[in-house]
């Protein structure tokens, strides 16, 4: 059995229309459910919220990285949303325009930490962020992120 791609076009929302982190997380999580990557939306959202309570997941430069391990997750997955208005994930410099939802299976070991680390390394590069801000095609975004984070 092959592992599904970390991110696919259906897990990309280039017009994320949420006003707060709960709405943003829910919108991306619903894509995970539709893709068969999350089996229980409410349980998953509860796990993300619990993680969020430990420490804000907003990074400087307009980035939000909500993430968690959850029994509701079937495979390590990354969903991406871009918000023109920005969503507050608790970063000191303001709202996030680029939001990455990382979902890891409960017994998934350190897989999601590898994804987080790879993502964090890319996000310090202005070019990476600019490409995501300028992108117009979800499939191209999914391919770009896969290539960069793999």
């Amino acid at each position: 059995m092959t592992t599904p791609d970390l991110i696919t076009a259906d897990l990309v929302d280039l017009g994320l229309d949420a006003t707060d982190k709960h709405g943003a997380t829910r919108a991306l999580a619903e894509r995970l459910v539709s893709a068969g990557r999350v089996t229980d939306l409410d349980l998953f959202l509860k796990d993300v919220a619990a993680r969020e309570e430990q420490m804000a997941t907003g990074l400087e430069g307009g980035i939000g990285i909500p993430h968690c391990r959850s029994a509701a997750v079937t495979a390590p997955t990354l969903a991406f949303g871009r918000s023109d208005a920005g969503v507050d994930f608790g970063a000191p410099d303001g709202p996030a325009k680029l939001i990455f939802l990382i979902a890891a299976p409960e017994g998934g070991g350190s897989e999601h930490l590898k994804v987080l680390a790879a993502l964090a390394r890319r996000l310090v590069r202005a070019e990476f962020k600019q490409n995501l801000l300028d992108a117009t095609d979800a499939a191209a975004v999914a391919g770009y992120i896969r290539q960069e984070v793999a």
Side-chain angles (χ1 to χ4, degrees):
M1 185 176 134
T2 60
T3 307
D5 281 331
L6 182 67
I7 183 169
T8 52
D10 56 332
L11 300 174
V12 173
D13 185 347
L14 296 177
L16 188 62
D17 187 24
T19 54
D20 64 21
K21 66 183 178 183
H22 302 293
T25 303
R26 173 174 281 277
L28 292 174
E30 285 169 352
R31 288 177 175 264
L32 299 181
V33 171
S34 297
R37 308 289 186 102
V38 166
T39 56
D40 182 332
L41 180 65
D42 292 331
L43 173 63
F44 179 70
L45 289 172
K46 195 179 83 168
D47 291 339
V48 172
R51 172 63 192 81
E52 197 72 32
E53 282 168 22
Q54 293 172 10
M55 192 171 90
T57 54
L59 304 178
E60 285 189 19
I63 312 292
I65 309 186
H67 59 279
C68 75
R69 287 184 191 186
S70 174
V73 176
T74 60
T77 303
L78 177 63
F80 169 71
R82 185 175 67 202
S83 164
D84 291 336
V87 177
D88 183 5
F89 274 90
D93 66 343
K97 293 198 176 222
L98 303 176
I99 298 145
F100 299 88
L101 176 60
I102 301 174
E106 200 161 47
S110 61
E111 269 313 296
H112 78 294
L113 296 176
K114 288 180 192 152
V115 171
L116 257 174
L119 203 50
R121 284 194 297 274
R122 298 309 178 283
L123 289 169
V124 297
R125 291 189 5 233
E127 175 199 10
F128 181 73
K129 290 192 290 194
Q130 199 56 54
N131 284 340
L132 294 176
L133 288 168
D134 295 342
T136 55
D137 179 73
V141 167
Y144 179 63
I145 293 173
R146 271 197 313 272
Q147 172 194 327
E148 288 289 322
V149 176

